[in-house]
Amino acid sequence: MLGIAFIVIVSLYLVFLFPIFSHRKVEAPRSARYDMQMKKLWSAAQTSMRDHKPLRAEKALLTILKFDEKNAAAYNRLGILYAKEQKFDEAIECFEIAQSLDNNPSSLHNVGLIYLETGAYEKAEMAFEQAIELESDIPARFIALAKAQEKLGKIKPAVDSLERAYQLDHSTNTLRLILALHELTGDAAALADTTARIEEQIALNSNTPARKRNATKPSARTTSSAKRIAQSNSRRRQI
């Protein structure tokens, strides 16, 4: 009876467990090689993009996706590459796949930029709004949204988007974009107010370095006191 039970246990092991364990043993060294190969491919892709070698970069990224078809970062990089090459359909497809794999605001923003470039302004507006829902502390997202809204003739929402960007960056360039929108509408009061804000921001920016220097620079009284203390310590050491 015990012999039969032993045979059954051994049989179960050979049928179910042994293939799993043996498979793991075979895959262990392959996994290490796999990681090393992925690192090499990523390095090749980044270097090629930096050196303006798009074909080499594309080959490296496609090879990564051949082994890891759910790699959102590779799709995102490939989309950026295609966008630079003005292959907008391919870029949009890559960004959309990346977004489906990883709910990333950068992918949404990138695809919005492609829609903006190709004149699909409603889709661009939607993409930027979705990106902002996920990440609302990046001024560039609101500036891009304002551009899409301006193209759609939504001047008031575009101004509001730029005002939200200005709350984040306090940039005179953002204020100038707001000024340009007010010029389109011919709103004299808004033009005067925005012009005053630009001048105020410029003055504030020019004063900020001086304030920092004054905050870190010791006063004449402090410097004089420090010198007297140093001289006193020196005399003590000599005594």
Side-chain angles (χ1 to χ4, degrees):
M1 190 70 178
L2 291 175
I4 295 174
F6 176 78
I7 293 172
V8 171
I9 292 171
V10 171
S11 300
L12 290 172
Y13 172 80
L14 291 174
V15 173
F16 296 105
L17 298 179
F18 180 77
I20 295 174
F21 293 139
S22 61
H23 183 63
R24 288 178 180 174
K25 290 178 181 178
V26 170
E27 285 189 344
R30 180 173 178 265
S31 179
R33 290 196 300 270
Y34 172 85
D35 291 340
M36 185 177 295
Q37 186 65 23
M38 288 297 104
K39 288 180 181 179
K40 288 182 179 179
L41 288 169
W42 268 115
S43 178
Q46 293 172 354
T47 302
S48 299
M49 291 184 74
R50 185 177 63 247
D51 296 341
H52 306 289
K53 297 178 180 178
L55 292 178
R56 186 177 298 178
E58 180 185 18
K59 182 179 179 181
L61 291 168
L62 289 174
T63 304
I64 291 172
L65 291 171
K66 179 180 179 181
F67 291 101
D68 184 7
E69 61 184 12
K70 293 185 178 181
N71 193 316
Y75 277 112
N76 209 14
R77 284 282 183 177
L78 192 59
I80 293 171
L81 179 66
Y82 286 145
K84 289 181 178 180
E85 295 294 303
Q86 295 188 339
K87 299 177 181 179
F88 296 127
D89 290 339
E90 292 90 339
I92 289 172
E93 183 179 1
C94 287
F95 289 137
E96 288 179 343
I97 294 173
Q99 178 58 28
S100 68
L101 294 171
D102 179 18
N103 201 23
N104 191 317
S106 295
S107 298
L108 283 166
H109 185 86
N110 288 336
V111 78
L113 292 175
I114 301 299
Y115 285 138
L116 194 61
E117 182 71 23
T118 56
Y121 301 127
E122 291 182 353
K123 290 183 177 180
E125 181 185 29
M126 185 180 300
F128 293 135
E129 287 175 341
Q130 291 174 350
I132 288 170
E133 287 179 4
L134 296 174
E135 190 176 41
S136 60
D137 59 348
I138 306 296
R141 306 222 191 286
F142 292 101
I143 293 172
L145 174 60
K147 187 66 176 178
Q149 291 168 331
E150 178 190 351
K151 293 293 186 181
L152 291 169
K154 300 178 180 180
I155 304 302
K156 176 65 168 59
V159 171
D160 292 340
S161 297
L162 288 173
E163 289 288 358
R164 293 183 67 182
Y166 177 70
Q167 291 174 8
L168 294 169
D169 63 13
H170 296 287
S171 170
T172 54
N173 289 332
T174 303
L175 287 174
R176 289 190 178 98
L177 292 174
I178 296 173
L179 185 69
L181 291 179
H182 289 316
E183 288 175 346
L184 290 176
T185 61
D187 189 334
L191 282 169
D193 177 67
T194 307
T195 300
R197 291 171 66 190
I198 291 173
E199 293 173 353
E200 182 181 356
Q201 188 64 55
I202 291 173
L204 182 62
N205 291 345
S206 63
N207 289 334
T208 298
R211 289 177 181 175
K212 289 182 178 179
R213 286 195 299 270
N214 291 336
T216 56
K217 183 179 179 180
S219 64
R221 181 180 299 177
T222 302
T223 304
S224 178
S225 299
K227 287 182 178 179
R228 287 198 300 271
I229 292 171
Q231 290 171 356
S232 176
N233 290 337
S234 178
R235 285 196 297 270
R236 288 176 182 174
R237 285 195 294 268
Q238 290 174 2
I239 294 171

